[in-house]
């Protein structure tokens, strides 16, 4: 009897250990990380001040204020929505805090709580209107943007006779609140603002929510296919309202940092920043169509902003070049993000 040896069946490549490169491609923030590295290396070569401890403190602070909002906006964009009122909301919350503390004599801590309640109410209203009416969030929040802008200017001028509120340093509770939101800490003899810590903490919490919780899974699901998500029991309405409230909370945090750091606020502050938040989120890997992105990527996108904005100053260039940089980065990010998403989809198959 002749025994014929048979070759072992070929291993299914889908069952093999995924390659490191494929794992990286799946990460939405990989493009932003490469961009941040290039910007860092470029300005490190072009100007000496950029790499100094003082220089790092400056561009990290710049990035932190933008980054807190960019992370919240990224979560909302992953869920498939936009918030054009995010920029002016930072001024609205600061004005509420300042007017209550300086004009009505409330303790700063109580004023902060009232302004937080105001922010969350506006965020919930935005989310409810989007879901109730079926209108695009772009339209609904554009209306909120205009309404808040009018309220900021009208009420501030009515109460103070100008478009500025100041005098926060004399308000009760300013010292303790300022320590939490606007103090500095020392590294190598250089002062770093505590806003950097708030930025890191907010990014860590947002990333944990997105990647480790059921709510995070819901956010990706409703951003990619809201109707299908609703069909399998995902609470789409509640989830999107919570996302708008998260953006409002971030605006309150940034507004609180601003009013306690500078002790005054302009009624027209924050206008136009909403586009920078969206651009930072897109640079960080978010798609305009929703369902794809990361909190870490948005934070890195804000870091690119901070490095580029301050790097241009250190290099002695005209600040107008920053607008060119934004345009180029936005277009490059959209192209790279689409390419990475298609590659990631092929890898998952």
């Amino acid at each position: 009897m002749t025994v014929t040896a048979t070759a072992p069946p070929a291993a299914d490549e889908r069952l093999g250990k995924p390659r490191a490169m494929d794992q990286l491609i799946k990460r939405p923030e990989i493009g932003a990380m490469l961009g941040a590295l290039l910007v860092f290396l470029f300005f490190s070569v072009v100007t000496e001040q950029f790499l100094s401890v003082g220089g790092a403190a400056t561009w990290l602070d710049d990035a932190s204020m933008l980054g807190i909002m960019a992370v919240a906006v990224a979560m909302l964009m992953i869920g498939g929505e936009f918030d054009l009122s995010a920029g002016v909301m930072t001024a609205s919350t600061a004005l509420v805090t300042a007017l209550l503390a300086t004009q009505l004599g409330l303790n700063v801590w109580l004023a902060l709580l009232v302004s937080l309640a105001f922010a969350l109410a506006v965020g919930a209203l935005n989310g409810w209107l989007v879901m109730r009416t079926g209108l695009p969030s772009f339209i609904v929040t554009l209306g909120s943007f205009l309404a808040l802008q009018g309220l900021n200017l009208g009420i501030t001028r009515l109460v103070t006779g100008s478009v500025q509120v100041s005098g926060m340093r004399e308000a009760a509770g300013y010292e303790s609140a300022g320590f939490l939101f606007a103090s500095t800490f020392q590294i190598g003899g250089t002062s770093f603002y505590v806003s950097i810590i708030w930025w890191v903490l907010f990014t860590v919490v947002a990333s944990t929510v997105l990647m480790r919780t059921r709510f995070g899974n819901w956010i990706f699901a409703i951003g990619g296919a809201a109707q299908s998500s609703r069909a399998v029991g995902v609470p789409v309405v509640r989830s999107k309202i919570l996302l708008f409230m998260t953006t409002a909370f971030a605006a309150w945090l940034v507004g609180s940092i601003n009013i306690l750091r500078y002790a005054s606020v302009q009624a027209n502050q924050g206008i136009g920043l909403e586009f920078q938040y969206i651009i930072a989120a897109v640079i960080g890997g978010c798609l305009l169509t929703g369902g794809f992105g990361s909190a870490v990527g948005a934070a890195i996108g804000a870091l690119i902003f901070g490095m580029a904005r301050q790097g241009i100053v250190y290099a002695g260039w005209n600040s107008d070049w920053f607008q060119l940089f934004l345009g180029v980065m936005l277009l490059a990010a959209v192209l790279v993000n689409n390419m990475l998403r298609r590659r990631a989809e092929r890898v998952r198959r």
Side-chain angles (χ1 to χ4, degrees):
M1 178 177 179
T2 304
V3 179
T4 303
T6 58
D12 190 338
E13 62 179 7
R14 293 173 298 177
L15 301 178
K17 186 176 181 180
R19 293 181 300 173
M21 182 58 68
D22 289 341
Q23 291 296 98
L24 284 176
I25 289 296
K26 293 180 182 180
R27 301 301 307 163
E29 63 271 10
I30 185 64
M33 292 174 63
L34 294 174
L37 178 60
L38 289 175
V39 172
F40 177 82
L41 293 175
F42 176 77
F43 285 110
S44 297
V45 173
V46 170
T47 172
E48 294 181 1
Q49 190 176 359
F50 182 83
L51 274 182
S52 67
V53 179
T58 302
W59 48 260
L60 282 173
D61 177 53
D62 189 328
S64 68
M65 302 296 282
L66 176 65
I68 292 171
M69 286 303 307
V71 168
V73 168
M75 294 181 70
L76 183 61
M77 288 179 64
I78 293 170
E81 305 294 348
F82 294 92
D83 189 351
L84 294 184
S85 66
V88 73
M89 177 67 81
T90 62
S92 297
T93 54
L95 284 167
V96 170
T97 300
L99 288 171
L100 292 175
T102 62
Q103 302 299 315
L104 298 183
L106 268 65
N107 187 282
V108 171
W109 286 105
L110 181 56
L112 286 169
L113 288 176
V114 174
S115 65
L116 174 58
F118 167 78
L120 295 178
V122 173
L125 178 62
N126 281 338
W128 181 81
L129 286 173
V130 169
M131 301 309 298
R132 178 69 175 179
T133 64
L135 291 171
S137 54
F138 179 90
I139 298 298
V140 172
T141 57
L142 177 60
S144 300
F145 163 82
L146 295 172
L148 289 172
Q149 183 181 356
L151 282 173
N152 290 352
L153 291 167
I155 293 178
T156 303
R157 196 183 297 275
L158 179 66
V159 174
T160 67
S162 68
V163 293
Q164 178 177 314
V165 181
S166 56
M168 280 295 293
R169 287 190 173 87
E170 289 73 36
Y174 172 79
E175 292 295 331
S176 56
F179 175 79
L180 181 62
F181 291 103
S183 60
T184 59
F185 57 95
Q186 299 289 318
I187 296 179
T190 302
S191 295
F192 288 75
Y193 277 104
V194 74
S195 60
I196 299 171
I197 296 178
W198 280 109
W199 173 37
V200 173
L201 288 175
F202 196 79
T203 303
V204 170
V205 171
S207 184
T208 301
V209 169
L210 283 173
M211 305 307 297
R212 303 290 183 182
T213 68
R214 178 184 298 178
F215 181 59
N217 290 333
W218 290 348
I219 294 172
F220 283 101
I222 62 179
Q227 295 303 322
S228 300
S229 301
R230 184 181 284 109
V232 296
V234 174
V236 175
V237 174
R238 185 176 66 190
S239 298
K240 291 204 175 189
I241 290 176
L242 286 174
L243 287 174
F244 278 102
M245 293 176 70
T246 300
T247 305
F249 171 80
W252 169 82
L253 178 56
V254 172
S256 299
I257 292 171
N258 280 330
I259 188 60
L260 292 169
R261 180 187 297 189
Y262 303 112
S264 65
V265 58
Q266 296 281 341
N268 59 356
Q269 190 172 301
I271 297 174
L273 292 179
E274 57 280 343
F275 294 109
Q276 293 191 15
Y277 305 149
I278 293 172
I279 292 171
V282 172
I283 291 174
C286 290
L287 294 179
L288 298 176
T289 53
F292 190 80
S294 77
V296 173
I300 297 173
L303 179 62
I304 292 174
F305 263 69
M307 291 192 297
R309 184 150 45 200
Q310 297 305 319
I312 288 173
V313 173
Y314 294 149
W317 300 343
N318 191 305
S319 60
D320 292 341
W321 289 107
F322 181 67
Q323 301 302 321
L324 172 63
F325 171 83
L326 288 187
V328 172
M329 286 297 297
L330 177 60
L331 291 174
V334 171
L335 294 173
V336 170
N337 291 344
N338 282 324
M339 180 188 70
L340 290 176
R341 183 191 63 170
R342 289 193 295 268
R343 178 67 183 274
E345 289 174 348
R346 289 197 298 270
V347 169
R348 291 190 182 100
R349 295 193 190 103

